[in-house]
Amino acid sequence: TDRKKFHTAPVGQVFRLRPFHVLVATGGGYAGYRKYEDYKLEQLEKRGIEVPVKLASEWEVALYKSVPTRLLSRAWGRLNQVELPTWLRKPVYSLYIWTFGVNMEEAAVEDLHHYRNLSEFFRRKLKPQARPVCCLHSVISPSDGKILNFGQVKNCEVEQVKGVTYSLESFLGPRVCPKELHFSQAPPSNSFQQQLVTKEGNELYHCVIYLAPGDYHCFHSPTDWTVSHRRHFPGSLMSVNPGVARWIKELFCHNERVVLTGDWKHGFFSLTAVGATNVGSIRIYFDQDLHTNSPRYSKGSYNDFSFISNNNKEGIPMRKGEHLGEFNLGSTIVLIFEAPKDFKFHLKAGQKIRFGEALGSL
């Protein structure tokens, strides 16, 4: 249809051969080594010792990307949908609760026997008053999680963690048609960042929220806005925990992600759900055409979908706090939006935050 556009990767990228078994074994062992290194870094941080940034080399990134995380994530997704015997549910879920510190007192259904499989348990709903939505601030947290970074976007670079950046244009992809989004008609010579800003005097801001496996897995609308366009990047599914985000530059640009773009009262607004290992499934409730971690999509490609049509001139209106989507397991939410220069974040890097709490306001 005229609402779908597919952009495919070069043939050479799609059909590049790799020595599968050797790389899986080597990559798996190296991933274990990295986990141990991450653990040591976490212990140093807890003791208040500043950890210097040490980025992965190109061969380390290539080795990690060679691990078939997309295939493993699909297998994990199918395993999660296997119905567990009633007698096995409580011990399995109890182990998960103990390992990741899940608070089941907040769950709408506390009885562990109610959840037929791991997938239902991951996507459990909360009690209605467990996450009150802050009405005093213009932007709220769309999910539970940990604040990795926030602030102004500078020089078309965004920080995923302190000292480690990624390209704004690589992350969001080429600029969407101005007819779909109310972008300013900036001259082509302007930077990608300047082209996103629609109102004079505004700045571009960002916020990165990491969802751990024990967090509430649904995400919500962070403000009142209109979603006009969806762009799906079927990339890798590397881990996005803070240790890996500190190690791999442009990690979020490598990984599979779903970019929702539109506008709010101050101009451009976007929310990106970033996939991770064992999080092959990213679901957007109002987008039935979205299928993530699908074998029919190749890495290096992206596909677009417009929510503006002859029958719907405005797009999809979202109210602050409204259900927007969900992950299977944990992952990352990245907000990139335009706001006046007096916009202030009410956050500290590294703090825990819950859905509905304030991110910032004017």
Side-chain angles (χ1 to χ4, degrees):
T1 67
D2 60 346
R3 298 169 62 198
K4 276 190 177 181
K5 298 176 182 177
F6 290 87
H7 305 261
T8 59
V11 175
Q13 293 182 19
V14 177
F15 295 103
R16 185 170 57 226
L17 298 177
R18 299 184 178 97
F20 180 78
H21 296 94
V22 174
L23 288 177
V24 168
T26 308
Y30 192 78
Y33 166 74
R34 287 305 315 173
K35 286 287 186 181
Y36 174 67
E37 290 293 311
D38 293 342
Y39 171 77
K40 291 198 299 183
L41 289 176
E42 288 178 4
Q43 297 305 309
L44 291 174
E45 288 181 342
K46 288 180 180 179
R47 292 160 55 186
I49 301 174
E50 186 173 348
V51 181
V53 174
K54 183 180 179 181
L55 295 177
S57 62
E58 291 186 9
W59 73 265
E60 288 177 309
V61 176
L63 180 62
Y64 192 178
K65 291 177 72 174
S66 70
V67 178
T69 51
R70 290 169 61 84
L71 179 61
L72 293 173
S73 297
R74 284 196 289 271
W76 175 254
R78 292 183 180 180
L79 180 63
N80 287 348
Q81 295 173 6
V82 174
E83 185 169 342
L84 297 176
T86 305
W87 63 269
L88 189 58
R89 294 174 187 175
K90 187 170 183 179
V92 169
Y93 301 147
S94 296
L95 177 61
Y96 186 91
I97 290 168
W98 176 80
T99 303
F100 296 109
V102 178
N103 183 6
M104 285 303 293
E105 294 181 359
E106 299 176 330
V109 180
E110 296 185 41
D111 182 11
L112 298 180
H113 296 100
H114 169 80
Y115 302 100
R116 294 174 297 176
N117 52 50
L118 282 166
S119 183
E120 286 188 1
F121 179 72
F122 293 148
R123 296 180 286 106
R124 63 192 176 277
K125 305 301 180 184
L126 299 182
K127 293 174 181 176
Q129 302 304 318
R131 297 289 187 274
V133 175
C134 178
C135 299
L136 301 178
H137 298 272
S138 54
V139 183
I140 62 169
S141 176
S143 66
D144 290 5
K146 178 182 179 180
I147 301 295
L148 294 189
N149 214 294
F150 62 92
Q152 283 190 21
V153 177
K154 298 179 180 179
N155 302 320
C156 294
E157 292 282 324
V158 186
E159 281 194 317
Q160 57 192 29
V161 294
K162 185 178 180 180
V164 183
T165 63
Y166 57 93
S167 163
L168 178 65
E169 186 169 6
S170 296
F171 181 69
L172 296 178
R175 194 169 68 123
V176 180
C177 176
K179 293 181 180 179
E180 296 183 12
L181 299 180
H182 305 299
F183 286 155
S184 60
Q185 300 297 320
S189 58
N190 282 8
S191 69
F192 183 80
Q193 177 178 337
Q194 292 171 326
Q195 292 175 21
L196 295 182
V197 177
T198 65
K199 299 179 180 179
E200 187 176 353
N202 281 2
E203 298 287 347
L204 210 58
Y205 297 86
H206 74 99
C207 182
V208 183
I209 306 170
Y210 167 68
L211 287 74
D215 288 326
Y216 169 55
H217 289 65
C218 296
F219 52 93
H220 300 246
S221 176
T223 192
D224 295 334
W225 65 307
T226 301
V227 184
S228 304
H229 186 270
R230 179 259 290 162
R231 176 169 283 158
H232 171 216
F233 292 86
S236 302
L237 287 173
M238 295 184 284
S239 172
V240 293
N241 73 55
V244 178
R246 187 185 298 110
W247 179 54
I248 298 180
K249 182 178 174 63
E250 299 204 331
L251 171 64
F252 299 154
C253 297
H254 291 298
N255 269 18
E256 178 152 15
R257 59 199 182 278
V258 177
V259 182
L260 300 178
T261 49
D263 57 276
W264 69 319
K265 60 183 178 181
H266 299 296
F268 173 79
F269 199 96
S270 73
L271 180 148
T272 302
V274 183
T277 307
N278 295 335
V279 193
S281 174
I282 302 172
R283 183 183 174 194
I284 304 298
Y285 294 137
F286 58 76
D287 188 354
Q288 301 302 314
D289 292 321
L290 175 65
H291 300 284
T292 57
N293 196 16
S294 172
R296 68 192 180 103
Y297 295 130
S298 60
K299 294 181 184 179
S301 64
Y302 65 87
N303 63 83
D304 290 340
F305 188 87
S306 173
F307 297 110
I308 294 179
S309 64
N310 293 331
N311 298 326
N312 181 9
K313 300 290 187 181
E314 298 297 325
I316 307 295
M318 297 296 301
R319 303 293 296 175
K320 184 167 66 173
E322 185 177 351
H323 278 84
L324 182 55
E326 63 188 31
F327 293 109
N328 276 334
L329 209 56
S331 196
T332 298
I333 296 286
V334 180
L335 302 180
I336 298 175
F337 57 93
E338 173 186 0
K341 290 182 178 180
D342 56 351
F343 181 87
K344 301 293 182 183
F345 284 102
H346 305 286
L347 302 171
K348 292 182 179 179
Q351 78 171 73
K352 292 288 290 183
I353 198 166
R354 304 202 304 176
F355 155 62
E357 295 178 347
L359 285 185
S361 63
L362 297 171

